[in-house]
Amino acid sequence: MLKRLFPLALATFAVGTDGYVIAGLLPSIATDLGVSTPAAGQLVTVFALVLALSAPVMGALTSSLDRRAALLIALGVFVVGNAATALGTGYGMVMAARVVTAIGAGIITSAASSTAAAVAPPERRGRALAFVLGGLTLATALGLPLGTLIGRADWHLTLWAVAGIGLLAALGIAVGLPPVTLPAASLPERLRPLKQGHVPALLAVTALAFLGTYTLYTYIGPALQQATGGNETLLSLILLLWGVGTLAGNIIAGRLVDRLVPARVLTGTLALAALSLALTPLATRALAPTLAWAVIWGVTVGVIVVPQQHRLIALSPAAAPVLLGLNSSALYIGVALGGGFGGLAQEWLGFAPAQLGLPAAGITVLTLLWHLGTTRSPAAPVLATPIPAPATPEQSKA
Protein backbone atom coordinates (compact mmCIF):
# COMPACT_ATOMS: atom_id res chain seq x y z
CA MET A 1 0.00 0.00 0.00
CA LEU A 2 2.90 2.37 0.75
CA LYS A 3 4.05 2.14 -2.88
CA ARG A 4 0.67 3.49 -3.99
CA LEU A 5 0.38 6.16 -1.31
CA PHE A 6 3.86 7.62 -1.65
CA PRO A 7 3.36 9.37 -5.05
CA LEU A 8 0.07 10.77 -3.74
CA ALA A 9 1.88 12.22 -0.74
CA LEU A 10 4.53 13.65 -3.07
CA ALA A 11 1.80 15.38 -5.09
CA THR A 12 0.28 16.95 -1.97
CA PHE A 13 3.80 17.92 -0.88
CA ALA A 14 4.15 19.88 -4.12
CA VAL A 15 0.82 21.64 -3.55
CA GLY A 16 1.61 22.31 0.10
CA THR A 17 5.03 23.75 -0.66
CA ASP A 18 3.52 26.00 -3.31
CA GLY A 19 0.72 27.21 -1.05
CA TYR A 20 2.85 27.77 2.05
CA VAL A 21 6.06 29.14 0.59
CA ILE A 22 4.61 32.47 -0.55
CA ALA A 23 4.07 33.46 3.09
CA GLY A 24 7.76 33.02 3.84
CA LEU A 25 8.75 35.07 0.77
CA LEU A 26 6.19 37.84 1.23
CA PRO A 27 8.56 40.71 2.12
CA SER A 28 10.89 40.09 -0.85
CA ILE A 29 7.98 39.56 -3.25
CA ALA A 30 6.40 42.83 -2.11
CA THR A 31 9.66 44.70 -2.60
CA ASP A 32 10.37 43.18 -6.00
CA LEU A 33 6.86 43.80 -7.35
CA GLY A 34 6.65 47.27 -5.86
CA VAL A 35 3.54 46.67 -3.72
CA SER A 36 2.74 46.72 0.00
CA THR A 37 3.05 43.57 2.13
CA PRO A 38 -0.76 43.26 2.56
CA ALA A 39 -1.13 43.59 -1.23
CA ALA A 40 1.44 40.85 -1.77
CA GLY A 41 -0.48 38.78 0.77
CA GLN A 42 -3.43 38.80 -1.59
CA LEU A 43 -1.42 36.45 -3.83
CA VAL A 44 -2.11 33.88 -1.11
CA THR A 45 -5.75 34.95 -0.87
CA VAL A 46 -6.45 34.76 -4.62
CA PHE A 47 -4.61 31.42 -4.98
CA ALA A 48 -6.68 29.88 -2.19
CA LEU A 49 -9.98 31.36 -3.36
CA VAL A 50 -9.53 30.21 -6.97
CA LEU A 51 -8.49 26.76 -5.74
CA ALA A 52 -11.58 26.50 -3.54
CA LEU A 53 -14.05 27.63 -6.18
CA SER A 54 -12.51 25.79 -9.12
CA ALA A 55 -12.03 22.45 -7.37
CA PRO A 56 -15.68 21.25 -7.65
CA VAL A 57 -15.94 22.45 -11.26
CA MET A 58 -12.65 20.89 -12.34
CA GLY A 59 -13.47 17.76 -10.38
CA ALA A 60 -16.72 17.40 -12.34
CA LEU A 61 -14.96 18.00 -15.67
CA THR A 62 -12.35 15.33 -14.91
CA SER A 63 -14.65 12.87 -13.12
CA SER A 64 -14.82 10.52 -16.12
CA LEU A 65 -11.04 10.04 -15.99
CA ASP A 66 -9.32 7.57 -13.73
CA ARG A 67 -7.56 9.26 -10.83
CA ARG A 68 -4.08 8.71 -12.28
CA ALA A 69 -4.95 10.56 -15.49
CA ALA A 70 -6.70 13.35 -13.58
CA LEU A 71 -3.70 13.81 -11.30
CA LEU A 72 -1.26 13.91 -14.22
CA ILE A 73 -3.31 16.57 -16.01
CA ALA A 74 -3.64 18.60 -12.82
CA LEU A 75 0.09 18.38 -12.10
CA GLY A 76 0.83 19.51 -15.66
CA VAL A 77 -1.26 22.67 -15.16
CA PHE A 78 0.33 23.13 -11.74
CA VAL A 79 3.87 22.98 -13.16
CA VAL A 80 3.08 25.41 -15.98
CA GLY A 81 1.51 27.84 -13.49
CA ASN A 82 4.55 27.80 -11.24
CA ALA A 83 6.90 28.31 -14.17
CA ALA A 84 4.82 31.30 -15.24
CA THR A 85 4.95 32.67 -11.68
CA ALA A 86 8.74 32.34 -11.69
CA LEU A 87 8.91 34.23 -14.98
CA GLY A 88 6.57 36.97 -13.78
CA THR A 89 7.98 40.50 -13.65
CA GLY A 90 4.89 42.44 -12.56
CA TYR A 91 2.14 42.10 -9.96
CA GLY A 92 -0.56 41.45 -12.57
CA MET A 93 1.47 38.75 -14.32
CA VAL A 94 2.27 36.99 -11.06
CA MET A 95 -1.36 37.17 -9.95
CA ALA A 96 -2.56 35.64 -13.24
CA ALA A 97 0.02 32.86 -12.93
CA ARG A 98 -1.18 32.09 -9.41
CA VAL A 99 -4.71 31.71 -10.75
CA VAL A 100 -3.52 29.13 -13.31
CA THR A 101 -1.54 27.29 -10.64
CA ALA A 102 -4.55 27.20 -8.31
CA ILE A 103 -6.75 25.58 -10.96
CA GLY A 104 -4.30 22.68 -11.21
CA ALA A 105 -3.83 22.44 -7.47
CA GLY A 106 -7.60 22.33 -6.95
CA ILE A 107 -7.80 18.84 -8.39
CA ILE A 108 -4.71 17.40 -6.76
CA THR A 109 -5.53 17.39 -3.04
CA SER A 110 -9.06 15.98 -3.28
CA ALA A 111 -8.09 13.42 -5.95
CA ALA A 112 -5.13 12.25 -3.89
CA SER A 113 -7.24 11.96 -0.72
CA SER A 114 -10.10 10.07 -2.40
CA THR A 115 -7.61 7.70 -4.03
CA ALA A 116 -5.99 7.01 -0.66
CA ALA A 117 -9.40 6.26 0.85
CA ALA A 118 -10.08 3.83 -2.03
CA VAL A 119 -6.86 1.82 -1.87
CA ALA A 120 -6.68 1.52 1.93
CA PRO A 121 -8.66 -1.04 3.97
CA PRO A 122 -11.33 0.56 6.21
CA GLU A 123 -9.43 -0.11 9.44
CA ARG A 124 -6.39 1.78 8.11
CA ARG A 125 -8.22 4.59 6.31
CA GLY A 126 -7.34 7.18 8.95
CA ARG A 127 -3.63 6.40 8.69
CA ALA A 128 -3.76 6.36 4.88
CA LEU A 129 -5.39 9.79 4.82
CA ALA A 130 -2.87 11.06 7.34
CA PHE A 131 0.02 9.72 5.23
CA VAL A 132 -1.19 11.41 2.04
CA LEU A 133 -2.02 14.63 3.86
CA GLY A 134 1.40 14.28 5.44
CA GLY A 135 2.68 15.62 2.12
CA LEU A 136 1.00 18.92 2.96
CA THR A 137 2.38 18.96 6.48
CA LEU A 138 5.84 17.82 5.38
CA ALA A 139 5.78 20.84 3.08
CA THR A 140 5.56 23.03 6.17
CA ALA A 141 8.38 21.11 7.85
CA LEU A 142 10.77 21.05 4.88
CA GLY A 143 9.33 22.77 1.83
CA LEU A 144 8.55 26.09 3.47
CA PRO A 145 11.84 26.70 5.30
CA LEU A 146 13.92 25.36 2.40
CA GLY A 147 11.94 27.47 -0.04
CA THR A 148 12.48 30.51 2.17
CA LEU A 149 16.24 29.87 2.25
CA ILE A 150 16.39 29.38 -1.52
CA GLY A 151 14.39 32.56 -1.98
CA ARG A 152 16.91 34.61 -0.01
CA ALA A 153 18.86 35.10 -3.24
CA ASP A 154 15.85 35.37 -5.56
CA TRP A 155 12.27 34.37 -4.78
CA HIS A 156 11.82 33.27 -8.42
CA LEU A 157 14.19 30.35 -7.77
CA THR A 158 11.81 28.96 -5.16
CA LEU A 159 8.97 28.79 -7.69
CA TRP A 160 11.24 26.97 -10.15
CA ALA A 161 12.01 24.48 -7.39
CA VAL A 162 8.29 23.96 -6.74
CA ALA A 163 7.73 23.33 -10.45
CA GLY A 164 10.46 20.67 -10.28
CA ILE A 165 8.75 18.97 -7.34
CA GLY A 166 5.55 18.90 -9.39
CA LEU A 167 7.37 17.13 -12.23
CA LEU A 168 8.77 14.52 -9.81
CA ALA A 169 5.28 13.95 -8.39
CA ALA A 170 3.89 13.43 -11.89
CA LEU A 171 6.61 10.90 -12.65
CA GLY A 172 5.92 9.02 -9.41
CA ILE A 173 2.19 8.85 -10.15
CA ALA A 174 2.74 7.72 -13.74
CA VAL A 175 5.00 4.89 -12.60
CA GLY A 176 3.70 3.89 -9.17
CA LEU A 177 -0.09 4.39 -9.14
CA PRO A 178 -2.51 1.98 -10.82
CA PRO A 179 -5.70 3.29 -12.40
CA VAL A 180 -8.38 3.95 -9.77
CA THR A 181 -11.83 4.30 -11.29
CA LEU A 182 -14.50 6.63 -9.98
CA PRO A 183 -18.03 7.05 -11.29
CA ALA A 184 -18.55 10.22 -13.31
CA ALA A 185 -20.30 12.91 -11.28
CA SER A 186 -21.71 16.16 -12.60
CA LEU A 187 -21.31 19.45 -10.77
CA PRO A 188 -24.88 19.31 -9.32
CA GLU A 189 -24.17 15.79 -8.07
CA ARG A 190 -20.94 16.98 -6.46
CA LEU A 191 -22.75 19.80 -4.69
CA ARG A 192 -25.70 17.63 -3.66
CA PRO A 193 -24.23 16.79 -0.22
CA LEU A 194 -24.55 20.48 0.67
CA LYS A 195 -28.31 19.89 0.92
CA GLN A 196 -27.67 17.62 3.89
CA GLY A 197 -27.68 19.91 6.93
CA HIS A 198 -24.84 18.21 8.78
CA VAL A 199 -22.41 18.42 5.85
CA PRO A 200 -22.34 22.25 5.57
CA ALA A 201 -22.01 22.44 9.35
CA LEU A 202 -18.89 20.26 9.28
CA LEU A 203 -17.45 22.12 6.29
CA ALA A 204 -17.93 25.39 8.18
CA VAL A 205 -15.69 24.03 10.96
CA THR A 206 -12.90 23.43 8.44
CA ALA A 207 -13.31 26.86 6.83
CA LEU A 208 -13.41 28.72 10.16
CA ALA A 209 -10.43 26.83 11.58
CA PHE A 210 -8.22 27.79 8.65
CA LEU A 211 -9.60 31.32 8.53
CA GLY A 212 -8.22 31.73 12.04
CA THR A 213 -4.92 30.05 11.19
CA TYR A 214 -4.23 32.09 8.05
CA THR A 215 -5.24 35.41 9.56
CA LEU A 216 -1.82 35.17 11.23
CA TYR A 217 0.10 32.68 9.10
CA THR A 218 -0.19 34.60 5.82
CA TYR A 219 1.87 37.36 7.46
CA ILE A 220 4.12 35.13 9.55
CA GLY A 221 7.37 36.71 8.30
CA PRO A 222 6.49 40.26 9.40
CA ALA A 223 4.81 38.92 12.55
CA LEU A 224 8.08 37.33 13.70
CA GLN A 225 10.19 40.40 12.98
CA GLN A 226 10.88 41.10 16.67
CA ALA A 227 11.92 37.51 17.38
CA THR A 228 14.17 37.20 14.32
CA GLY A 229 15.47 40.74 14.01
CA GLY A 230 14.98 40.40 10.26
CA ASN A 231 17.35 37.42 10.07
CA GLU A 232 15.98 35.09 7.40
CA THR A 233 17.95 32.11 8.72
CA LEU A 234 16.22 32.47 12.10
CA LEU A 235 12.87 32.82 10.32
CA SER A 236 13.57 29.59 8.45
CA LEU A 237 14.43 27.87 11.75
CA ILE A 238 11.14 28.96 13.32
CA LEU A 239 9.20 27.87 10.25
CA LEU A 240 11.01 24.53 10.32
CA LEU A 241 9.98 23.93 13.93
CA TRP A 242 6.41 25.00 13.13
CA GLY A 243 6.43 22.52 10.28
CA VAL A 244 7.85 19.73 12.43
CA GLY A 245 5.07 20.39 14.92
CA THR A 246 2.50 20.29 12.11
CA LEU A 247 3.90 17.00 10.82
CA ALA A 248 3.84 15.54 14.34
CA GLY A 249 0.24 16.68 14.77
CA ASN A 250 -0.74 15.02 11.51
CA ILE A 251 0.86 11.73 12.52
CA ILE A 252 -0.73 11.86 15.97
CA ALA A 253 -4.13 12.66 14.44
CA GLY A 254 -4.04 9.63 12.18
CA ARG A 255 -3.62 7.33 15.17
CA LEU A 256 -6.06 9.16 17.42
CA VAL A 257 -8.98 9.11 15.00
CA ASP A 258 -8.54 5.35 14.49
CA ARG A 259 -8.94 4.86 18.27
CA LEU A 260 -10.98 7.78 19.64
CA VAL A 261 -14.05 9.77 18.66
CA PRO A 262 -12.80 12.24 15.99
CA ALA A 263 -15.03 15.05 17.31
CA ARG A 264 -13.38 14.86 20.74
CA VAL A 265 -9.92 14.95 19.16
CA LEU A 266 -10.91 18.13 17.37
CA THR A 267 -12.36 19.76 20.51
CA GLY A 268 -9.10 19.61 22.43
CA THR A 269 -7.11 20.67 19.38
CA LEU A 270 -9.16 23.82 18.76
CA ALA A 271 -8.95 24.82 22.42
CA LEU A 272 -5.15 24.52 22.39
CA ALA A 273 -4.96 26.38 19.05
CA ALA A 274 -6.98 29.30 20.43
CA LEU A 275 -4.68 29.55 23.47
CA SER A 276 -1.54 29.42 21.31
CA LEU A 277 -2.80 32.17 19.01
CA ALA A 278 -3.87 34.38 21.91
CA LEU A 279 -0.34 34.20 23.33
CA THR A 280 1.28 35.25 20.03
CA PRO A 281 2.06 38.90 20.98
CA LEU A 282 3.79 37.75 24.18
CA ALA A 283 5.42 34.56 22.91
CA THR A 284 7.06 36.16 19.87
CA ARG A 285 8.96 38.93 21.66
CA ALA A 286 12.12 36.81 21.92
CA LEU A 287 13.55 33.86 20.02
CA ALA A 288 13.41 31.14 22.72
CA PRO A 289 9.67 31.38 23.54
CA THR A 290 8.92 31.80 19.84
CA LEU A 291 10.51 28.42 19.10
CA ALA A 292 8.33 26.67 21.70
CA TRP A 293 5.23 28.56 20.57
CA ALA A 294 5.84 27.59 16.94
CA VAL A 295 5.97 23.87 17.76
CA ILE A 296 2.79 23.93 19.87
CA TRP A 297 0.79 25.93 17.36
CA GLY A 298 2.10 23.74 14.55
CA VAL A 299 0.86 20.58 16.28
CA THR A 300 -2.68 22.00 16.50
CA VAL A 301 -2.72 22.94 12.82
CA GLY A 302 -1.51 19.47 11.85
CA VAL A 303 -4.33 17.70 13.70
CA ILE A 304 -7.35 19.56 12.31
CA VAL A 305 -7.83 18.12 8.82
CA VAL A 306 -7.66 14.39 9.62
CA PRO A 307 -10.59 14.17 12.09
CA GLN A 308 -12.62 16.44 9.83
CA GLN A 309 -12.08 14.12 6.85
CA HIS A 310 -12.83 11.10 9.00
CA ARG A 311 -16.12 12.63 10.19
CA LEU A 312 -17.18 13.44 6.64
CA ILE A 313 -16.36 9.96 5.34
CA ALA A 314 -18.36 8.48 8.23
CA LEU A 315 -21.47 10.27 6.92
CA SER A 316 -21.30 8.28 3.68
CA PRO A 317 -18.21 6.23 2.79
CA ALA A 318 -19.49 5.80 -0.78
CA ALA A 319 -19.60 9.57 -1.28
CA ALA A 320 -16.07 10.08 0.10
CA PRO A 321 -14.58 11.57 -3.11
CA VAL A 322 -17.25 14.28 -3.21
CA LEU A 323 -17.12 15.02 0.50
CA LEU A 324 -13.33 15.21 0.59
CA GLY A 325 -13.36 17.53 -2.40
CA LEU A 326 -15.84 19.82 -0.65
CA ASN A 327 -13.71 19.75 2.49
CA SER A 328 -10.66 20.76 0.46
CA SER A 329 -12.64 23.67 -0.97
CA ALA A 330 -13.76 24.69 2.52
CA LEU A 331 -10.16 24.61 3.73
CA TYR A 332 -8.96 26.91 0.98
CA ILE A 333 -11.92 29.25 1.41
CA GLY A 334 -10.71 29.61 4.99
CA VAL A 335 -7.16 30.25 3.77
CA ALA A 336 -8.40 32.91 1.33
CA LEU A 337 -10.59 34.64 3.89
CA GLY A 338 -7.80 34.50 6.47
CA GLY A 339 -5.31 36.16 4.17
CA GLY A 340 -7.83 38.83 3.24
CA PHE A 341 -8.94 39.43 6.83
CA GLY A 342 -5.35 39.64 8.05
CA GLY A 343 -4.61 42.29 5.43
CA LEU A 344 -7.72 44.30 6.36
CA ALA A 345 -6.90 44.02 10.07
CA GLN A 346 -3.54 45.67 9.38
CA GLU A 347 -4.66 48.34 6.93
CA TRP A 348 -8.07 49.25 8.38
CA LEU A 349 -7.95 48.26 12.04
CA GLY A 350 -4.32 49.14 12.75
CA PHE A 351 -3.14 45.74 13.97
CA ALA A 352 0.59 45.15 13.85
CA PRO A 353 1.50 41.80 12.22
CA ALA A 354 2.41 40.21 15.58
CA GLN A 355 -0.96 41.29 17.00
CA LEU A 356 -2.86 39.31 14.36
CA GLY A 357 -2.76 36.37 16.77
CA LEU A 358 -5.51 38.06 18.78
CA PRO A 359 -8.22 38.20 16.10
CA ALA A 360 -7.01 34.77 14.94
CA ALA A 361 -7.61 33.43 18.45
CA GLY A 362 -11.07 35.00 18.52
CA ILE A 363 -12.00 33.29 15.27
CA THR A 364 -10.68 29.98 16.60
CA VAL A 365 -12.84 30.30 19.73
CA LEU A 366 -15.86 30.85 17.48
CA THR A 367 -14.79 27.74 15.54
CA LEU A 368 -14.69 25.74 18.75
CA LEU A 369 -18.17 26.91 19.76
CA TRP A 370 -19.56 26.07 16.33
CA HIS A 371 -17.86 22.68 16.43
CA LEU A 372 -19.38 21.90 19.83
CA GLY A 373 -22.76 22.74 18.35
CA THR A 374 -22.25 20.19 15.58
CA THR A 375 -21.38 17.47 18.10
CA ARG A 376 -24.58 18.14 20.05
CA SER A 377 -26.81 17.99 16.98
CA PRO A 378 -28.62 14.75 16.10
CA ALA A 379 -26.68 12.16 14.15
CA ALA A 380 -26.66 13.00 10.47
CA PRO A 381 -28.40 10.64 8.05
CA VAL A 382 -26.40 8.80 5.45
CA LEU A 383 -26.43 10.76 2.21
CA ALA A 384 -29.24 9.80 -0.10
CA THR A 385 -28.37 8.11 -3.42
CA PRO A 386 -24.70 7.76 -2.58
CA ILE A 387 -22.06 7.67 -5.26
CA PRO A 388 -20.62 4.16 -5.68
CA ALA A 389 -17.33 3.52 -3.99
CA PRO A 390 -14.20 3.87 -6.10
CA ALA A 391 -12.39 0.72 -7.10
CA THR A 392 -8.93 -0.25 -8.17
CA PRO A 393 -8.48 -2.76 -11.01
CA GLU A 394 -7.66 -5.45 -8.45
CA GLN A 395 -10.89 -4.78 -6.56
CA SER A 396 -12.88 -4.88 -9.79
CA LYS A 397 -11.52 -8.35 -10.58
CA ALA A 398 -12.20 -9.71 -7.10
Side-chain angles (χ1 to χ4, degrees):
M1 186 175 69
L2 183 62
K3 181 180 178 180
R4 296 175 177 178
L5 295 179
F6 182 77
L8 300 176
L10 186 60
T12 61
F13 176 76
V15 172
T17 301
D18 192 37
Y20 293 132
V21 78
I22 295 296
L25 302 172
L26 216 55
S28 58
I29 291 175
T31 300
D32 193 39
L33 298 181
V35 298
S36 67
T37 299
Q42 300 318 303
L43 293 171
V44 177
T45 299
V46 170
F47 176 89
L49 188 60
V50 171
L51 192 157
L53 297 179
S54 68
V57 177
M58 298 306 298
L61 292 175
T62 60
S63 64
S64 61
L65 302 174
D66 70 76
R67 295 300 84 193
R68 180 173 63 182
L71 283 165
L72 289 175
I73 292 172
L75 282 164
V77 175
F78 176 83
V79 169
V80 169
N82 274 292
T85 304
L87 293 171
T89 56
Y91 186 71
M93 292 178 60
V94 172
M95 182 68 78
R98 296 306 289 165
V99 170
V100 172
T101 308
I103 292 173
I107 305 173
I108 295 171
T109 302
S110 60
S113 297
S114 60
T115 303
V119 301
E123 68 276 7
R124 296 183 62 85
R125 185 175 292 144
R127 297 183 187 183
L129 288 170
F131 182 83
V132 171
L133 287 172
L136 292 173
T137 52
L138 186 62
T140 67
L142 296 179
L144 176 56
L146 287 176
T148 303
L149 284 174
I150 293 171
R152 289 176 64 181
D154 184 350
W155 63 268
H156 299 84
L157 296 177
T158 300
L159 277 300
W160 284 117
V162 172
I165 296 171
L167 285 175
L168 288 176
L171 179 61
I173 287 172
V175 174
L177 185 69
V180 177
T181 59
L182 294 174
S186 66
L187 183 60
E189 289 173 325
R190 286 179 172 273
L191 299 179
R192 186 179 62 217
L194 294 176
K195 297 180 180 179
Q196 299 284 340
H198 208 65
V199 172
L202 290 182
L203 295 178
V205 173
T206 298
L208 287 170
F210 281 88
L211 192 162
T213 297
Y214 272 78
T215 293
L216 173 63
Y217 187 78
T218 302
Y219 306 95
I220 193 66
L224 298 179
Q225 179 70 28
Q226 187 173 359
T228 64
N231 187 306
E232 293 184 353
T233 301
L234 291 179
L235 175 60
S236 297
L237 173 62
I238 296 170
L239 294 177
L240 175 62
L241 291 178
W242 187 87
V244 169
T246 306
L247 182 61
N250 183 264
I251 295 171
I252 293 168
R255 285 159 174 73
L256 288 178
V257 300
D258 282 339
R259 300 175 183 177
L260 304 175
V261 177
R264 293 181 181 177
V265 174
L266 191 58
T267 298
T269 300
L270 290 173
L272 182 58
L275 178 60
S276 300
L277 288 167
L279 292 175
T280 300
L282 294 175
T284 58
R285 291 181 177 179
L287 181 60
T290 300
L291 297 176
W293 165 86
V295 173
I296 295 171
W297 182 35
V299 168
T300 66
V301 175
V303 171
I304 292 171
V305 175
V306 176
Q308 279 294 94
Q309 288 195 325
H310 210 276
R311 295 170 76 193
L312 286 164
I313 291 174
L315 294 180
S316 178
V322 174
L323 293 172
L324 294 178
L326 291 173
N327 192 58
S328 178
S329 291
L331 187 157
Y332 281 101
I333 286 174
V335 171
L337 294 176
F341 181 69
L344 292 176
Q346 293 174 79
E347 293 195 329
W348 290 6
L349 302 179
F351 279 89
Q355 295 174 330
L356 292 175
L358 298 177
I363 293 169
T364 305
V365 170
L366 291 177
T367 307
L368 175 60
L369 295 175
W370 180 269
H371 160 66
L372 292 175
T374 67
T375 62
R376 288 194 294 267
S377 63
V382 174
L383 296 176
T385 60
I387 297 172
T392 62
E394 291 82 357
Q395 290 170 327
S396 300
K397 295 176 184 178

